[in-house]
Structures are given as structure tokens and as C-alpha cells.
Amino acid sequence: MNLRLISLSLSALTFCTGAHYTYAENIKIDTQNSSLVLQADKGKKLKHLYYGGKISNEDVNNIRQAGGKIFNAYPDYGMLTMPETALAMIHGDGNMTLDLVVDGVSTRKENGADIRTVTLKDTQYPVTVKVNYKTWPNENVMETWTEITNNEKSPVTLTRFDSGYLPIRNGNVWLSSFHGNWGNEARLTEEPLTRGIKVIKSHEGVRNSRYDHAEVMFSLDGKPDENNGRVIGAALCYGGNYKLRIDTDETDSHHFFAGINEENSQYKLGKGETFTTPALALAWSDEGVGGASRSFHKWGRNHRLAHGNTPRKVLLNSWEGVYFDINEQGMANMMKNIAQMGGELFVMDDGWFGVKYPRNNDSQGLGDWIVDAKKLPGGIQGLINEAKKNNVSFGIWIEPEMVNSRSELYEKHPEYIVNADKRNPKFGRGKTQLNLDMSNPKVQEIVFQIVDTLMTKYPEIDYIKWDANMDIENHGSQYLPADRQGHLYIDYMKGLEKTLDRIRAKYPDVTIQACASGGGRVNWGILPWFDEFWTSDNTDALQRIYIQWGTSYFFPAIAMGSHISAAPNHQTRRTVPIKYRTDVAMSGRLGMEIQPDDMTETEKAQTKKAIEQYKEIRPVVQFGDLYRLLSPYDEKGAASLMYVAPEKDKAVYYWWKTRAHRNEILPRVAMKGLDPNKTYTVRELNRIDRKPLSFEGKSYSGKFLMERGLEMPVNHDVEKEMQSDWSSRVLYLEAK
Ligand code: GLA
């Protein structure tokens, strides 16, 4: 019998003959470092055979004989059903079963990517499901998603519609996931997988990473290790409600399902309609969780993040400096200050708009995006002119998906808000905030117009901070018909994506930040339209180490807004010296969130130096490979990480003391990712010590730095009045 093997890694199809035990059409889908193998016999169930490190065609030929349980690759509900399934629907006639079998396999190319599609069709009903896999020759990440098409005469109702499923063999598998709350986002949690179902989900509708993240890592060799062991990283790329399920069954096998959260979201699909699920991105690593992170960062920069390969500007955002107290002189003053400190961009935050309902606080004005001439008599153009005088770019804050009940927009169009018939809406922020119903094309047009009007009138706007400070809390669409109310969450996201598509088609170059009360929109599903996210409203340097650490598992430094703010910090009231604040902020996309007038001369000088030095290391931080060295979550008294340029000729090393205990011996941190054979010269950045460090200007081999490392002094050598319990170091390593 023939064993046909189709390998996506080969340009032509490879046909192997001679195997005598089975007939199978095995599909091998390769990334740079991994293979996924499926068995796709026509008329049979699509089977998952393998996901792991890259394997040879010969291994694929004999993979079934290697033993082990085999599961369906996209489990459907109804016939010999697994306890958990990826897809379920109610047919037009009420039948609740699916029986999907392979109909065909096809391949296509799209912008340098290979897309392999397995088409499944139901044995009785005209329903087809395309299971897609997208890979790139130079990436370790693959994306999988499905397209569900109904050709029945009457609508079918989708009750579950996952993007993908992955069986993970029994063993000592651990889960890394990310949870938190406002101001405390992306806390790392590590736990072994045990019997039962673990569900991580969002039901917020808008700010979907505010509490729990849609990304997880599975460590297959026990407790997660930064550098060693086999790891699968998985990110559901979706900005709305999501659900990740891990079911550990009676054989201790783990079944991972990821997709849009189906709760309160049954979706009707009319004849001829197709439902496309968002992508589930998967990365395989045999270099621990760190390897998976680096793969996600590279793939994200190259294929997901807007302008992922363009350096980001150093900015000052007005929020924590003046809050709602916007006025022309204040803005001009901030621009002058950021320019003097070497910054490149000024962003005017909330408070600049509203005529009948001036935005003096958070209880009114959203929806009325007209400049408040009392505060800004010269208008936006006046500010842009001022920015030009200071040789900085200009950016502006908007929250286009939202409205206050105290606004002219709401007075004219109460029918545009998310709200159920017969209900008085419950309000969010400011006790007046409401969501606009993005499922409504008229609302989509309004949101497009907000950006289009600003950008047409003021084409020099360089940056938009796009905020979203409310979840969908009133279920109900005044636009969707009664039998489609369940579409609200999904159609909201579709409407938003459509609008963002229009905005990006017309304004491809403007930088847009995704902010959602801080880190509420940290997800690869939203980032194709955005250049970065506001990592957290919490700008406290110490807590930021924890937040950014968790965020760094899936997201690169270039996307992580990281700002120097005031002391005491406005969120934690902690007083942290400027040196430490700059040293933390410099590990992400550096910016400022402060009233420069309140800074001391020393603080200003330190910040100026930091900005100047950040510009030097910017390519390494924003495009380099991340190596996490000492986790703050291990509570060893310090935390450390580094970025290494792809050529390994430059690296930036960060070390932050995280607590001050007398005579506690802090770990010496060995470096990672360097070239063992290169010799690196060490230079301290942001230095405040009277004497240079003992290793300043000295050279060491990459081998030495990675095996032994440099010992960081526990305190700074500074004048008595500058002494504190805070200590941090940034080192720049350059190879000769
Ligand atoms: C949200 C954002 C802040 C700021 C305010 C403005 O809270 O997260 O950064 O923009 O809105 O109202």
C-alpha cells in the first residue's frame, strides 16, 4: 500500500511508497523549529499525530507505530464525543450532532507564509469546516484557525467554536498563566496540571486582558524552567471574550482548547455564511519558557504588531502630570520640558474636548470630540505648532468606543449605546460612561469619523492613544434583531476590527497605542492595528518589574509602554529614587508620565541622561532577544533580565534590587544569550555612583559572563543625602 506524505517544508509533494501496514495521508506542517503532523484520510476523522520539535519525513512515516493515544485534531460534538469538544452546533432541523470527516487538503501562499487547509465536511449536513495552519519559514510560531460554513437552507446555531485544539501527553505538565487586576496586571502563576478542567476566560467584552490573559505556556518536563525543557506556548489572538480550557482526563492526558468564549454568545449562521475564528498561535520551544517568549516576540514583531520593526519614540504623556487640567500653557510647558530632556514626542491625554459638556472630569464629554476652546484657544493646530517649535511630534488621547450620558452624542443618539430593550443602562466610570454599540454600522462610521476628522484636519498628528475604559456590562444591542442578541460580543469585535481596518487603510503610518485602563488590551488579536499597549496604569517602578515580567512572556519590549513617573508614585504611594525609576522604564518602550515642573534638577538631569543613553540602546531593547535571568517572582531579593542584539555584538543587562534586607546575600546573576567566543566591554548606563564600578570598561568573554557573571554591589556609592535602600544597574555590553 502507499503511504503518502505531504510535507509543507518541501516545496514539492513527496510521495513515499513501501510501507505495508497502513494507508494514510500524513500532513507535516513545519515551522523553523517544530512539526505538527496530522493524519488526513479522505472520508475519515482528521487525527492529530504529533506536535513537537522538527522531525524528519522518515519519522513521520512511522509515527503511528511509535505508539500512544491518538485524538481527533478538531473534536466535534455529537458522535463518540470526547468529554470536551472544539465545535458544536444545532442544525436547522434541531439535530445537535456533527460528524466531520476529511474532504481534502490544500496549500496556498500568502505574504511569505504557507497556509495549509484541511477541509472537513459533515457526512449528512451541508456544513464544512476548514482547519487552517499558517507558518513562515523563519518563525517558530504557527497559527491555526477555522472557517465554519453553513449551506443548510435554514440557519444553524453555533454553540461552541474554538480556534484550535491540542492534545498534550500525560506527564509532569505545568501551566504558566497570567492573572491580575487593574494596576496589578499579568501576574505570573505556575502550577502543575491536575485532574479536572482548568478554565481561563474573559467575559469583559472589551478589556479582555485586564484580569486574565489569553496566553499560556505548558512546560512538559515539570516545573517551568527559563532556559531548559520542552515548552508549548499558546496565545489566542482575540480582543474580545475568550475561553481557554485544559481538561485533564482519566488517562491524565491534557486537552487544550482555545477560542472565543461561547457563553451568552450563541451564533446563528445563515445559509451561505461563514464564521471565521480568530487565530490560535502556537510555539514550540526546547529552550524552556524563555525560548517560547523569544519566538513569540520575533513572530509578533514581524507579523502581528503594527510597525513591529520601526523604533519607537521617547515620549511624555500628560496624564499623571496634569490629569484633566489641560490648558495651552501647561501643554506648551510640558512640550518644552520633554524636548529639553531629549524626548521626541508629546502626547496630550484626556481632558481636551467637550463644548456643552467640557471634559473637566470623568463624568462627561466622551463622544464629543471637539476641542474645548476655553482650555485650548489655539486649538489642536496651536499645539501642533508649539510641538514643531520644540522639535517634538504631537500625539492625542481619544476613547472612541465610549460615550458619557452627559454628552451631546448621547443626547442625540441614545440608540447607539450597548443596552437591552426595556432596561435602563447601568453606568461605568464617572457614573455616566457607556459603551457605544460597535455592532451597529452607524456607530462604526462615527468611530471612523472621530479619527478621520482629526487626521484630516491635523495630518501632523503622529500618535493616538486609543483608550477603552469600560467593559460590556449591559448585555443588549439596540441594533441587532431579537434573534441575534447573542451576537453582541462577537459582532462588537467584528465591528471594531472593521473600523480599525478602515482607519489603518487610510492612516497606515500613525502610531496608535492600545490602552484599556492600562493593560486591558494586551492581546495579539488587537495588536495588528496598534503599535504598542499601555502596560498598566500602575507606574510604580517596583511593581512594574512584576507586571512587565509577566507581560514579557508573550509580548516584546517594543510594545510595552513603560514610563518614568512621580515620587511618591500615584498608585502605590511608594517613593522610589529617580535612578531606579529610569532603570525600570528603560527596559521597555521608554516614556514619561510626570509633571516635569515638579521634578528636581537632579531628577531632570538623570532623566536627560537616561533618554540619551536609551536612544543608544534602543535597537537592542526594541529588536533584541530577551533573556530573563532572575525572576522577581522567586523573591530572591533582586530581579534581572537582558536583551541581546540578533548579531550578539551588543547586549543590555538590567539588575534591580527588589528588597533591602541587611546582610542578605543576593544571587550573582549569570548572563545568557551572548556569543561565548566574543569579548564584551562593560559600560554602566545611568550611573550615579561616585566611583565607577570595578568592572567598568573591563572586557570579558561571553563564556565568562554566561558562566560566572558579574557581581552587582548591593548599594550605590553616593553622598549621604542620596543614599537609600534602592539599588539598580543597567550595563551596556559591546563586543569589539
Ligand atoms: C485610563 C488610562 C489612563 C488615562 C485615563 C484618562 O484610565 O488608562 O492612562 O488615559 O484613562 O482618563
Side-chain angles (χ1 to χ4, degrees):
M1 281 195 206
N2 285 341
L3 185 137
R4 292 201 314 155
L5 166 69
I6 305 174
S7 171
L8 194 59
S9 60
L10 305 175
S11 50
L13 301 183
T14 309
F15 295 94
C16 304
T17 53
H20 54 275
Y21 26 76
T22 183
Y23 172 83
E25 182 168 37
N26 288 348
I27 307 165
K28 181 155 81 86
I29 299 161
D30 286 337
T31 70
Q32 189 172 252
N33 77 341
S34 67
S35 299
L36 173 80
V37 183
L38 303 168
Q39 183 181 326
D41 299 341
K42 198 171 162 100
K44 301 243 178 76
K45 288 297 212 204
L46 178 67
K47 298 284 181 192
H48 173 98
L49 298 184
Y50 175 83
Y51 178 57
K54 203 166 190 166
I55 54 175
S56 70
N57 294 341
E58 180 161 19
D59 288 334
V60 174
N61 292 343
N62 300 324
I63 200 153
R64 277 208 85 130
Q65 290 66 43
K69 252 184 122 174
I70 292 186
F71 298 98
N72 291 343
Y74 190 63
D76 48 354
Y77 179 80
M79 313 276 296
L80 281 180
T81 300
M82 284 171 54
E84 293 293 316
T85 52
L87 181 69
M89 68 171 66
I90 306 169
H91 297 280
D93 63 3
N95 189 320
M96 288 178 66
T97 64
L98 276 165
D99 187 17
L100 297 171
V101 296
V102 173
D103 190 38
V105 181
S106 65
T107 305
R108 67 176 202 276
K109 288 213 177 279
E110 195 185 274
N111 301 329
D114 294 294
I115 300 177
R116 173 60 54 98
T117 300
V118 183
T119 302
L120 310 175
K121 66 170 191 191
D122 190 87
T123 52
Q124 296 299 330
Y125 288 86
V127 166
T128 59
V129 177
K130 291 185 170 172
V131 185
N132 301 295
Y133 300 89
K134 186 175 190 177
T135 54
W136 297 261
N138 300 320
E139 303 289 350
N140 294 335
V141 172
M142 74 167 65
E143 295 178 14
T144 180
W145 74 99
T146 59
E147 294 159 89
I148 304 150
T149 303
N150 171 35
N151 277 314
E152 294 180 23
K153 275 195 223 83
S154 41
V156 300
T157 306
L158 302 179
T159 54
R160 182 169 304 287
F161 26 81
D162 276 336
S163 298
Y165 157 75
L166 198 67
I168 298 171
R169 198 187 183 282
N170 59 345
N172 189 11
V173 179
W174 281 59
L175 181 75
S176 304
S177 58
F178 308 89
H179 308 274
N181 203 332
W182 177 84
N184 187 24
E185 294 89 348
R187 303 285 304 200
L188 169 67
T189 304
E190 297 174 331
E191 63 195 319
L193 286 177
T194 53
R195 280 286 178 92
I197 302 188
K198 168 99 187 168
V199 177
I200 299 173
K201 66 180 183 177
S202 150
H203 48 79
E204 285 78 32
V206 177
R207 300 177 290 191
N208 80 350
S209 60
R210 204 170 178 221
Y211 305 131
D212 307 291
H213 271 222
E215 302 88 31
V216 289
M217 287 196 191
F218 299 97
S219 291
L220 308 189
D221 298 307
K223 201 169 180 333
D225 186 286
E226 189 59 40
N227 304 299
N228 303 297
R230 299 166 304 157
V231 170
I232 296 169
L236 200 261
C237 306
Y238 188 57
N241 289 351
Y242 64 83
K243 192 183 261 187
L244 312 180
R245 291 172 292 149
I246 304 134
D247 181 20
T248 301
D249 71 10
E250 66 285 358
T251 67
D252 285 339
S253 301
H254 315 289
H255 303 273
F256 174 57
F257 298 86
I260 295 178
N261 187 344
E262 82 295 348
E263 290 168 30
N264 305 308
S265 288
Q266 294 203 338
Y267 208 90
K268 285 211 164 70
L269 214 51
K271 183 175 165 53
E273 284 180 349
T274 297
F275 185 91
T276 304
T277 65
L280 168 66
L282 298 169
W284 168 262
S285 163
D286 54 13
E287 292 173 25
V289 293
S293 294
R294 286 185 288 281
S295 295
F296 271 99
H297 297 172
K298 179 164 166 276
W299 157 84
R301 282 192 306 254
N302 289 337
H303 305 292
R304 280 254 155 197
L305 186 67
H307 313 120
N309 293 307
T310 308
R312 303 300 195 250
K313 291 176 181 157
V314 177
L315 64 84
L316 168 65
N317 184 57
S318 69
W319 181 241
E320 284 193 26
V322 298
Y323 293 102
F324 290 103
D325 189 12
I326 299 276
N327 61 64
E328 218 160 67
Q329 212 199 329
M331 296 297 99
N333 186 43
M334 283 184 134
M335 290 187 221
K336 187 185 78 202
N337 273 288
I338 186 62
Q340 279 170 356
M341 285 186 273
E344 299 153 314
L345 166 68
F346 171 72
V347 183
M348 175 171 65
D349 207 286
D350 201 352
W352 60 267
F353 52 90
V355 176
K356 182 170 171 193
Y357 297 103
R359 181 80 170 164
N360 298 328
N361 54 52
D362 63 8
S363 72
Q364 61 183 39
L366 292 179
D368 302 345
W369 302 100
I370 302 158
V371 77
D372 180 346
K374 285 207 189 96
K375 293 178 187 171
L376 301 168
I380 290 171
Q381 193 54 51
L383 297 172
I384 291 175
N385 296 345
E386 192 64 30
K388 276 204 259 181
K389 258 197 341 220
N390 285 289
N391 203 18
V392 292
S393 307
F394 178 77
I396 195 163
W397 180 95
I398 51 175
E399 194 180 355
E401 298 153 73
M402 307 287 163
V403 70
N404 289 119
S405 57
R406 291 173 57 77
S407 71
E408 294 184 64
L409 178 63
Y410 181 74
E411 282 175 351
K412 269 189 234 131
H413 292 293
E415 76 280 13
Y416 286 171
I417 62 159
V418 171
N419 190 38
D421 198 20
K422 302 192 186 64
R423 301 280 179 202
N424 291 324
K426 298 267 190 281
F427 298 106
R429 189 180 184 201
K431 302 197 169 51
T432 52
Q433 187 157 338
L434 295 160
N435 306 90
L436 290 172
D437 182 355
M438 290 301 295
S439 74
N440 184 341
K442 286 195 179 139
V443 172
Q444 294 163 21
E445 180 60 28
I446 283 182
V447 172
F448 174 75
Q449 289 298 338
I450 293 168
V451 176
D452 194 37
T453 307
L454 274 175
M455 293 302 296
T456 312
K457 275 196 179 156
Y458 314 110
E460 288 155 299
I461 290 179
D462 186 62
Y463 178 107
I464 291 172
K465 175 172 174 178
W466 179 303
D467 215 332
N469 290 312
M470 187 172 174
D471 300 324
I472 294 181
E473 284 156 38
N474 303 296
H475 190 124
S477 170
Q478 304 184 71
Y479 166 74
L480 294 168
D483 67 340
R484 299 283 195 279
Q485 287 292 305
H487 291 203
L488 173 64
Y489 287 115
I490 293 170
D491 285 359
Y492 181 100
M493 280 315 296
K494 281 191 186 174
L496 175 65
E497 291 173 4
K498 227 163 105 182
T499 311
L500 289 166
D501 271 344
R502 274 181 80 193
I503 290 170
R504 275 308 190 187
K506 194 157 175 196
Y507 304 106
D509 298 330
V510 64
T511 303
I512 315 183
Q513 180 189 69
C515 176
S517 314
R521 269 189 171 158
V522 179
N523 185 291
W524 281 117
I526 204 86
L527 289 173
W529 298 277
F530 293 88
D531 300 70
E532 60 176 33
F533 46 79
W534 182 220
T535 316
S536 174
D537 269 347
N538 186 345
T539 55
D540 173 76
L542 179 64
Q543 202 172 345
R544 267 296 181 117
I545 295 175
Y546 291 79
I547 295 171
Q548 294 182 187
W549 195 273
T551 307
S552 81
Y553 270 63
F554 283 86
F555 301 94
I558 190 173
M560 252 190 247
S562 181
H563 296 181
I564 300 164
S565 65
N569 176 268
H570 292 188
Q571 293 78 38
T572 61
R573 311 309 304 168
R574 202 187 329 259
T575 298
V576 180
I578 189 70
K579 156 77 176 153
Y580 197 95
R581 283 180 272 148
T582 56
D583 284 6
V584 172
M586 271 174 85
S587 67
R589 193 280 286 128
L590 176 65
M592 300 186 71
E593 188 86 23
I594 195 167
Q595 171 56 275
D597 281 349
D598 296 341
M599 295 170 79
T600 63
E601 284 313 309
T602 313
E603 286 180 325
K604 279 190 177 166
Q606 182 69 26
T607 304
K608 189 170 182 206
K609 185 157 79 178
I611 291 177
E612 189 188 315
Q613 299 192 325
Y614 183 79
K615 287 180 185 166
E616 210 180 327
I617 60 170
R618 173 159 48 191
V620 186
V621 177
Q622 299 191 356
F623 306 116
D625 288 320
L626 167 70
Y627 291 85
R628 286 179 297 253
L629 305 173
L630 179 60
S631 171
Y633 292 91
D634 289 345
E635 301 296 350
K636 296 258 171 68
S640 178
L641 59 80
M642 66 193 289
Y643 299 104
V644 182
E647 302 75 25
K648 297 196 183 286
D649 56 340
K650 294 186 178 72
V652 188
Y653 168 93
Y654 299 82
W655 181 92
W656 306 285
K657 195 164 86 177
T658 50
R659 68 173 176 228
H661 285 187
R662 184 80 205 192
N663 267 341
E664 182 177 32
I665 310 301
L666 300 178
R668 184 198 294 144
V669 181
M671 299 189 185
K672 283 271 177 315
L674 299 171
D675 180 341
N677 300 317
K678 281 195 163 70
T679 302
Y680 298 88
T681 306
V682 182
R683 172 155 65 102
E684 187 188 8
L685 306 183
N686 293 351
R687 184 183 134 197
I688 56 165
D689 295 41
R690 285 175 291 203
K691 276 198 289 287
L693 291 166
S694 52
F695 41 74
E696 176 75 22
K698 303 279 178 290
S699 298
Y700 302 92
S701 68
K703 184 169 188 295
F704 178 86
L705 293 170
M706 291 194 289
E707 281 173 7
R708 186 205 185 265
L710 303 173
E711 190 87 32
M712 295 303 123
V714 173
N715 293 309
H716 289 287
D717 169 25
V718 288
E719 305 291 339
K720 197 145 191 241
E721 59 278 10
M722 275 179 68
Q723 285 174 5
S724 77
D725 53 349
W726 295 91
S727 171
S728 58
R729 303 284 168 183
V730 183
L731 307 179
Y732 192 24
L733 311 179
E734 288 174 285
K736 287 197 197 105

